[in-house]
Amino acid sequence: MAKPLGMADTISRRTLLAAAGAAGLAPLSFSQSAQRAPHKGMPVAISSANGMRTTEKAMELLRAGQDGLDAAIAGVNIVEEDPNDMSVGYGGLPNERGVVELDSCCMHGPTYRAGAVASLRNIKTPSRVAKVVMERTDHVLLVGEGALEFARMHGFEETNLLTEAARKAWVKWKESLSKDDDYLEPPAASPLPARPTGTITCLTLNDKSEISGVTTTSGLAYKIPGRVGDSPIIGAGLYVDNQIGACGSTGRGEAVILSCGSRIVVENMRHGMTPEEACLDVLKRICDYTVDPLLLREKGRPNFEVNFYAVNKKGEFGGARIYRGGRYAVHDGTQNRLMDSAYLY
Ligand code: GLY
């Protein structure tokens, strides 16, 4: 059952609407009220739209009493290991040289610890390696060869992550780059799809009100080798504060890094915004600060997408993005479903 808006919610909403009006923005699209778990103390699992199996699995494990971070990671492992999701893990689209490089981070609210890996090759489940970084080192982030050595040391199996479908997509991209190189145009002249920055995030709140989260990705398709997006950066692609709530992101990582997106969403919730309002506020900042003509389309709006997903300590949750049409997966303890994201335009 939806929670009626409280005074703090109403004020935050009014403030946001006024700010949007002053900036000449279209009215922000809010849900009528904050979404929340039907009963106090009921667990919640929230994920990006590619995470319906993730939220289902995470809820199964939360109900079985497993730790919230283990539940979230087991949920995203399903997508990391799925060759058909070309934005995450095995089967993810490679960098410009045809090598799949994965990024992931996780945060465990109850212990306020985190782990991350970036530009990790050959391992299907970077989220699990991130958790081992958290548990077995005094560091937070390992990158590249060091991250791979570390994964090997802990017995992770190495695999060629480049599937046939991803290899073919990469070859087509490479052959379409320029008319002045020695590659002939690809035979089937179907248009190239936009370069995805798809990713998966999963946030959990258990029946003890403990919060955890994980984000994992193969990053921007055909990126420059070594490019790292927001997904392994604590405070950008993920932030968990066990006293307040959590946020994860998908979409253009550079915009999320520049805005310290997930961290600011959590701070907004600390100051009384609902999860949805908190996400919309940061999206608005991202739009305001995007001034590079290369990143703008008509009406001075960004030519990219960013999505935030958030949950607070009370079990309220929400998702939002820049443009209409987004969805997110949520299991609120009674049902698993896709919900419409709020949006700016
Ligand atoms: N959000 C995923 C990335 O930009 O790499």
Side-chain angles (χ1 to χ4, degrees), residues 2-220:
K3 166 187 162 286
L5 283 174
M7 182 62 80
D9 298 326
T10 311
I11 290 167
S12 303
R13 177 169 306 218
R14 194 183 302 137
T15 306
L16 275 170
L17 286 169
L25 290 173
L28 307 182
S29 165
F30 290 104
S31 303
Q32 284 307 299
S33 57
Q35 305 290 335
R36 63 172 302 157
H39 303 294
K40 197 169 180 321
M42 196 167 257
V44 174
I46 179 169
S47 182
S48 31
N50 52 351
M52 281 290 280
R53 291 172 295 166
T54 298
T55 47
E56 187 72 45
K57 182 72 182 175
M59 184 55 64
E60 178 194 319
L61 298 179
L62 289 175
R63 284 188 178 131
Q66 285 221 17
D67 177 76
L69 182 55
D70 290 337
I73 289 178
V76 298
N77 288 162
I78 296 169
V79 180
E80 287 179 324
E81 290 174 336
D82 179 355
N84 296 316
D85 189 314
M86 296 174 85
S87 71
V88 178
Y90 177 59
L93 289 168
N95 67 19
E96 67 175 19
R97 289 195 208 133
V99 179
V100 180
E101 292 184 328
L102 305 179
D103 299 335
S104 179
C105 74
C106 65
M107 278 191 90
H108 186 240
T111 54
Y112 202 68
R113 294 179 74 193
V117 288
S119 299
L120 176 65
R121 301 178 175 188
N122 298 357
I123 309 289
K124 281 184 174 176
T125 53
S127 62
R128 284 195 200 155
V129 185
K131 181 164 181 262
V132 182
V133 171
M134 179 185 93
E135 290 173 334
R136 303 295 292 269
T137 77
D138 191 28
H139 303 317
V140 170
L141 173 60
L142 298 181
V143 305
E145 193 57 33
L148 179 56
E149 269 177 36
F150 177 80
R152 277 190 201 121
M153 174 181 142
H154 282 281
F156 283 86
E157 187 190 328
E158 286 188 69
T159 316
N160 176 12
L161 301 179
L162 188 68
T163 58
E164 268 304 279
R167 184 189 64 76
K168 285 181 179 158
W170 166 65
V171 169
K172 186 172 175 183
W173 171 81
K174 206 168 165 59
E175 289 177 342
S176 308
L177 275 182
S178 167
K179 298 212 179 309
D180 296 327
D181 64 21
D182 295 325
Y183 296 108
L184 303 181
E185 288 288 302
S190 56
L192 275 182
R195 292 163 67 194
T197 47
T199 296
I200 189 165
T201 190
C202 181
L203 313 171
T204 60
L205 174 77
N206 69 12
D207 58 7
K208 290 181 268 181
S209 296
E210 293 170 339
I211 308 166
S212 289
V214 60
T215 300
T216 178
T217 191
S218 50
L220 177 65

Side-chain angles (χ1 to χ4, degrees), residues 103 197-199 217-220 227-231 249-254:
D103 299 335
T197 47
T199 296
T217 191
S218 50
L220 177 65
R227 177 266 187 188
V228 172
D230 58 325
S231 303
S249 71
T250 62
R252 182 178 157 80
E254 284 73 9

